[in-house]
Amino acid sequence: MREEKKLRLVIDEGVLKIVDWARNEVLCEFTPDELAEIIEFRYATPWNRSKDIMEKLMYILNDILDAYTSSEEIFPKKGDIIKRVKFRVHNQAEE
């Protein structure tokens, strides 16, 4: 019987990483360019549009992480995080 793999997708330093959670080992990394190429091929989307989308997604995901880590609340509400990301509030206390 095959052992169940415990894999996670992690976005770190602007790349998508496939991580073996049990061994804490990065198995593979995908750059935004590579992801854009996959989108272009699979969905017939122009490469420049796909790359633009991936770059924006990476910025947003990094902003979400920053909003969570810089929040003064232990468990911030999702609505507060969305507001902080939309309005680009970084490392500031909520008003």
Side-chain angles (χ1 to χ4, degrees):
M1 185 167 232
R2 286 179 55 183
E3 180 182 338
E4 182 181 343
K5 295 179 182 179
K6 302 284 185 186
L7 304 178
R8 299 289 187 266
L9 301 178
V10 176
I11 296 175
D12 185 33
E13 300 174 3
V15 298
L16 174 67
K17 297 179 180 184
I18 312 302
V19 178
D20 182 326
W21 207 249
R23 296 184 298 168
N24 196 26
E25 178 182 344
V26 176
L27 304 176
C28 184
E29 295 182 359
F30 294 91
T31 66
D33 285 347
E34 292 167 327
L35 295 170
E37 184 180 327
I38 292 169
I39 292 170
E40 176 192 24
F41 182 83
R42 185 162 178 174
Y43 299 107
T45 303
W47 184 86
N48 58 344
R49 176 183 268 180
S50 299
K51 183 175 181 196
D52 184 55
I53 290 168
M54 291 309 305
E55 287 174 342
K56 288 177 182 173
L57 177 62
M58 293 295 183
Y59 290 135
I60 289 169
L61 293 173
N62 283 324
D63 286 349
I64 290 171
L65 179 62
D66 179 61
Y68 269 102
T69 57
S70 66
S71 175
E72 292 181 8
E73 296 179 44
I74 295 173
F75 299 109
K77 296 177 186 156
K78 183 167 91 172
D80 293 339
I81 295 299
I82 291 172
K83 179 180 172 186
R84 290 180 66 156
V85 171
K86 282 183 176 179
F87 292 104
R88 298 180 182 171
V89 176
H90 297 286
N91 300 321
Q92 297 176 11
E94 296 288 331
E95 293 182 13

